[in-house]
Amino acid sequence: MSRSFAILLFLAAATINADTLILRDGRRIEGRLIRVENGVVEFQQGGFSGQVGQVNRNDVQGIEFGGEDRNDRNDRNPSPQASQQTRPRGLREKSIMVVANAPWTDSGIDIVSGQNIYFEASGNIKWGPGRTAGPGGESNSPYNAARPMPNHPGAALIARTSAASDPFFIGNEHGAIRLRSSGRLYLGINDDVLGDNSGYFRVVVYY
């Protein structure tokens, strides 16, 4: 653990809708998750104005994202230890914010056909009056021919590559997804009307 991050452990303060970093020694730090990459969690204590520190991912028990329902957070945000059982070690990783009102979010990741990638998604979005959903999308969602993936739940997390027009489904999947085409990876929401959406999913991609 870096010295600057150790200092943050004693300065943690409550922050409205803050993300919470849960360490294996039981301590909790509230602030803002910046990224998870190359086995390092970068976290800003106290929100946008706080000091940024880094901690080894192996020292992290889990991350709670601000604004989520604590009753179902564990189902949508498994601990790193549990998730690692479904993917090999040594993969690169990148944390991405997928906003609900944008057609596609550029992940900045270039992949190749046949490559296995893994996802961990969490958060809730609003996708219309009185409608909210997690990465798995709407329960018992009806068929909608106008959506990018008509036979899959509305508001669910989906993806595509720059070389393919057909998207593929992610949802709450944590297992390997084998890519059928090469190119830049884009993440999106399975919805045909995006203008009334708000919120975002936090997605960690392992590749």
Side-chain angles (χ1 to χ4, degrees), residues 12-15 18-21 28-32 43-46:
T15 304
D19 300 329
T20 303
L21 195 67
R28 300 166 65 93
I29 304 172
E30 293 186 330
R32 184 173 67 97
F43 200 81
Q44 189 168 28
Q45 186 269 335

Side-chain angles (χ1 to χ4, degrees), residues 7-174:
I7 295 174
L8 299 185
L9 297 178
F10 300 97
L11 298 177
T15 304
I16 296 176
N17 290 332
D19 300 329
T20 303
L21 195 67
I22 306 171
L23 301 184
R24 294 193 182 278
D25 62 8
R27 286 178 286 186
R28 300 166 65 93
I29 304 172
E30 293 186 330
R32 184 173 67 97
L33 177 67
I34 298 176
R35 65 175 60 88
V36 181
E37 191 168 6
N38 298 325
V40 175
V41 178
E42 191 167 319
F43 200 81
Q44 189 168 28
Q45 186 269 335
F48 289 92
S49 61
Q51 184 178 1
V52 175
Q54 296 180 337
V55 63
N56 190 300
R57 187 182 177 94
N58 292 331
D59 295 330
V60 178
Q61 179 67 38
I63 301 171
E64 294 178 353
F65 294 105
E68 295 182 18
D69 184 351
R70 292 179 181 268
N71 292 327
D72 66 354
R73 179 182 289 135
N74 290 335
D75 294 334
R76 292 179 283 108
N77 183 35
S79 69
Q81 183 179 15
S83 299
Q84 285 172 358
Q85 297 175 3
T86 65
R87 64 177 184 272
R89 295 180 178 274
L91 295 175
R92 292 172 292 175
E93 57 189 85
K94 185 172 184 179
S95 180
I96 302 158
M97 181 183 294
V98 181
V99 295
N101 60 356
W104 295 102
T105 298
D106 186 353
S107 71
I109 299 172
D110 294 315
I111 49 88
V112 297
S113 177
Q115 180 179 354
N116 283 336
I117 57 177
Y118 301 77
F119 298 89
E120 283 184 10
S122 61
N124 272 326
I125 63 169
K126 293 182 180 179
W127 63 299
R131 306 174 81 180
T132 62
E138 179 186 47
S139 299
N140 302 316
S141 188
Y143 175 89
N144 184 339
R147 291 175 185 154
M149 302 190 74
N151 286 315
H152 287 78
L157 179 66
I158 59 176
R160 69 172 178 86
T161 66
S162 56
S165 58
D166 295 334
F168 59 91
F169 186 76
I170 300 174
N172 284 318
E173 177 60 48
H174 298 293

